[in-house]
Amino acid sequence: ERKGKEEGFLQVEQVLSVAERTRPLLAKLRQSKMTDQDGQAPRLLRAAFALMDHQADATCLLRLARCTLELLRVGTVLQDVGTQGVEAAYLNIARALFKLSKEASNDALFR
């Protein structure tokens, strides 16, 4: 059982670490203290959504959802995905959060 989980999913600590390291970078991008010259922010958004699709851990899903919400505030992401892409992204995030909210044991994770 444990081996199957490790093969199919990234380890929780790795995902949480990446999400936490990404937040300060996104803040700098939003505040124009840093530029996204090579278009990494839209790629990061796609990667975060891919991880959300494959990650089962509630804590990871919440951190990834927060990361995607912050990415959607970056200008280069908005330009890259367009209006319909942004709408679809918000819908996907809402679905993931709604799915997590159904289980009472996840209530403490929402902060």
Side-chain angles (χ1 to χ4, degrees):
E1 176 76 28
R2 176 89 175 144
K3 184 178 179 183
K5 276 191 170 186
E6 288 176 2
E7 288 175 4
F9 299 105
L10 290 174
Q11 291 184 357
V12 172
E13 295 82 21
Q14 290 174 324
V15 174
L16 295 178
S17 173
V18 169
E20 289 304 312
R21 288 188 312 215
T22 303
R23 291 183 66 215
L25 296 173
L26 293 173
K28 288 180 182 178
L29 280 170
R30 274 197 331 268
Q31 297 167 0
S32 300
K33 293 180 181 176
M34 191 171 108
T35 60
D36 185 23
Q37 294 175 349
D38 55 355
Q40 292 298 314
R43 287 185 220 155
L44 187 57
L45 178 70
R46 288 183 193 92
F49 274 118
L51 285 171
M52 285 177 71
D53 287 342
H54 298 289
Q55 194 59 248
D57 182 74
T59 303
C60 287
L61 284 172
L62 286 170
R63 296 275 172 87
L64 289 167
R66 174 183 262 172
C67 187
T68 56
L69 287 170
E70 296 206 19
L71 277 163
L72 288 168
R73 296 173 61 192
V74 175
T76 55
V77 171
L78 297 174
Q79 293 168 353
D80 186 71
V81 299
T83 305
Q84 289 180 336
V86 170
E87 290 172 1
Y90 280 121
L91 182 60
N92 287 336
I93 295 165
R95 284 181 181 158
L97 295 177
F98 180 72
K99 185 177 176 181
L100 288 175
S101 72
K102 288 182 176 181
E103 194 168 323
S105 63
N106 291 332
D107 288 352
L109 299 174
F110 286 85
R111 47 183 158 99

